[in-house]
Amino acid sequence: MRRTAADIRRFERRVSRDLLLIGDNLTVAKLLLGHGRFGGWLVTEFGWTPRTAERFMRAAKVFGARNDAVATLGPTAIYTLSAPSTPEPVQQAFVARLEAGERLSLNEIREVTQAARQAARLTRRVRAKLAKVHEPLSPAAEKARAAADLILGYLGERRDELVALLENIDGAALVDLLRKGATASNGVEEDVA
């Protein structure tokens, strides 16, 4: 049984090396065929979708130069590690472990890449929210913020009352009244100055 297991591991390494070679050849074919002809060629020659070819090509691009180390992995592990959603530092860490002679299980690769992908998604969400918070304001928005700060400083607890009054009003008319120093009392404007 040990000999059978050794034979199977040898065949698996061959399959993994061939997978990377197929990816290299597909990359060359795509360049040679030019725009718009690659998909048809894939269907005619192999019955493949472009997505299938992309998996091969992506694996070759990510691991091509290190195919001896990666060849100890099965195809599923190679596809998992070379997926676009797998962060590059995770790929590099696994390759370093492989080059050090460590044997990796598909379960470990799946668990670590899934956790890394979730962390990357969370990081992107946090960065997007922070970007909105720290987004530079337009000059008009900066003036509005300064005016709101000034008004809120005077209003104190009457803030909600003012907000209720300002909802659904004509902002330009309010500014005009403030410039004139006028108040509206029973529908009649009076000069305050």
Side-chain angles (χ1 to χ4, degrees):
M1 292 313 297
R2 284 190 180 121
R3 188 170 162 185
T4 301
D7 286 345
I8 291 171
R9 283 191 193 97
R10 190 176 74 247
F11 298 147
E12 188 175 44
R13 280 192 298 274
R14 191 179 310 157
V15 168
S16 296
R17 280 191 186 100
D18 288 348
L19 179 153
L20 297 170
L21 290 172
I22 290 168
D24 286 336
N25 283 303
L26 288 170
T27 301
V28 170
K30 186 174 183 176
L31 290 171
L32 292 173
L33 288 169
H35 182 70
R37 296 181 21 207
F38 184 62
W41 179 78
L42 288 172
V43 171
T44 301
E45 293 295 329
F46 311 108
W48 291 352
T49 64
R51 186 173 184 274
T52 300
E54 285 297 327
R55 290 175 70 198
F56 281 105
M57 293 187 299
R58 194 171 40 250
K61 180 180 178 185
V62 171
F63 302 121
R66 298 169 139 175
N67 63 3
D68 286 338
V70 176
T72 60
L73 299 174
T76 303
I78 292 173
Y79 291 140
T80 301
L81 280 175
S82 63
S85 57
T86 302
E88 190 177 329
V90 172
Q91 294 169 340
Q92 292 171 355
F94 275 117
V95 169
R97 290 174 61 189
L98 289 167
E99 288 175 335
E102 197 173 331
R103 290 183 57 110
L104 304 172
S105 73
L106 178 58
N107 285 338
E108 179 184 7
I109 290 169
R110 283 182 170 158
E111 288 172 9
V112 171
T113 55
Q114 184 178 8
R117 290 171 186 165
Q118 288 173 344
R121 280 192 295 273
L122 180 60
T123 300
R124 283 192 300 272
R125 277 192 230 127
V126 168
R127 284 184 179 154
K129 286 183 180 183
L130 286 174
K132 286 181 182 177
V133 169
H134 292 81
E135 194 171 89
L137 297 176
S138 68
E142 283 290 348
K143 286 181 181 179
R145 177 181 279 173
D149 288 343
L150 179 67
I151 292 169
L152 289 172
Y154 286 109
L155 287 176
E157 293 181 19
R158 297 192 69 193
R159 172 183 171 240
D160 292 336
E161 186 181 335
L162 178 64
V163 169
L165 285 171
L166 292 176
E167 288 179 333
N168 302 319
I169 67 162
D170 180 357
L174 175 63
V175 169
D176 188 46
L177 287 169
L178 290 172
R179 274 195 188 115
K180 292 178 181 176
T183 61
S185 175
N186 295 329
V188 180
E189 288 187 11
E190 299 174 12
D191 281 334
V192 180

